Amino acid sequence: MLAEELLRIAMEQSAEDMNCQWEDFLNHQNVLVPFRLGKNARKYLKEPILANFVSYGSNVVAAATDDVKEIVTEYMDRYEFYHLFETPNMHWLDDRLAGKGYRICFMAEYYLPDLDRLRTISCGYELRILGQQDFENLYLPEWGNALCKERKHLDVLGVGAYENGKLVGLAGCSADCEKMWQIGVDVLPEYRRNGIACALTSRLAHEILDRGKIPFYCSAWSNIRSVKNAIKSGFIPTWVEMAVKPDTVVNEINEELK
């Protein structure tokens, strides 16, 4: 695949996730559309979603329900598009959403492989290719980023790092979209800073590409360790997202994280 093809497929997926045209992300003006999850939206996206903001660097495309359309429109007109994902501007939006019982919920940065930089990285540990049959006993807290217990059927491929038969690091990918598989990675604390994460991530990215799919990676912008791993593994920041959900959902998530 060419880099342009990877980017276009990612934009097509984002368009499916929020009811717009993929070309909207190339516009130099912000775009607002009615929110609707497409039938081929990413599997982990769950309604209710009141609004979603996405930027690939040229503008912001926002999808909003009727209940928040006016607020979202005013917000997008008020600030430059690249400031819509920043505080203190976000407080303006969050304060107005709160009056309707909604809050800014998820924010994330997404990465695609840089095909000119993606290479196999060695870490000095044995690497093994794993399939679904190998994951059954691995749905444990230490592998919670690499695998998802709630969506086992989507965990389709992985790479494990082993020391004397002991699993010390694991990268797994979830078939979240028809054409794109998302990578997550975990390394046992005592084995970190040995290059295992980037070796696993880059190897899994190659395996995904070999199967005709596009690997993508996600992190919170503040998770510096994860961001460094993405870049070192041959990935580059490609798009950002911010979602609005009911405040009850936000409160439930905060309770679960206690």
Side-chain angles (χ1 to χ4, degrees), residues 17-229:
D17 296 339
M18 57 191 305
N19 185 40
C20 67
Q21 302 298 314
W22 73 267
E23 295 92 344
D24 290 338
F25 300 108
L26 301 175
N27 201 316
H28 290 291
Q29 299 295 323
N30 291 336
V31 176
L32 177 65
V33 298
F35 176 79
R36 185 180 70 246
L37 282 179
K39 64 179 182 179
N40 295 316
R42 280 172 286 167
K43 302 292 194 302
Y44 58 85
L45 295 179
K46 295 181 180 180
E47 296 188 273
I49 300 172
L50 284 306
N52 197 28
F53 299 78
V54 175
S55 178
Y56 279 81
S58 296
N59 68 344
V60 165
V61 178
T65 61
D66 289 342
D67 201 23
V68 298
K69 179 181 178 180
E70 290 186 8
I71 295 174
V72 170
T73 298
E74 185 177 356
Y75 185 56
M76 296 203 332
D77 290 343
R78 190 179 183 90
Y79 305 105
E80 290 288 340
F81 78 90
Y82 47 85
H83 290 312
L84 298 178
F85 298 84
E86 298 176 351
T87 54
N89 300 343
M90 285 166 49
H91 293 308
W92 185 97
L93 175 62
D94 206 47
D95 287 346
R96 282 150 184 80
L97 291 170
K100 290 180 171 288
Y102 308 136
R103 287 289 187 187
I104 296 170
C105 188
F106 299 117
M107 291 184 66
E109 187 169 33
Y110 291 84
Y111 304 74
L112 289 177
D114 180 345
L115 299 180
D116 293 328
R117 292 176 52 247
L118 187 67
R119 67 192 190 283
T120 300
I121 300 173
S122 175
C123 65
Y125 293 84
E126 178 192 0
L127 301 186
R128 301 179 193 172
I129 306 301
L130 306 175
Q132 283 185 317
Q133 70 279 1
D134 301 304
F135 297 149
E136 189 58 38
N137 297 319
L138 298 180
Y139 288 96
L140 304 168
E142 56 263 41
W143 312 123
N145 291 312
L147 302 174
C148 181
K149 187 175 182 180
E150 288 72 30
R151 298 189 297 272
K152 289 183 179 181
H153 63 290
L154 297 178
D155 292 332
V156 293
L157 185 66
V159 179
Y162 292 82
E163 182 183 53
N164 299 322
K166 175 185 176 181
L167 183 65
V168 300
L170 176 64
C173 66
S174 177
D176 293 326
C177 328
E178 180 183 353
K179 297 181 180 180
M180 301 174 66
W181 291 358
Q182 182 171 193
I183 294 177
V185 62
D186 291 290
V187 177
L188 297 181
E190 62 270 29
Y191 288 89
R192 291 172 185 165
R193 305 183 70 85
N194 289 316
I196 296 174
C198 63
L200 292 171
T201 304
S202 61
R203 177 63 181 276
L204 185 53
H206 278 290
E207 295 291 333
I208 294 170
L209 288 167
D210 286 346
R211 288 159 174 79
K213 305 296 183 180
I214 297 175
F216 72 105
Y217 186 101
C218 173
S219 76
W221 66 268
S222 57
N223 189 343
I224 300 301
R225 184 170 62 193
S226 183
V227 172
K228 285 183 175 179
N229 177 59

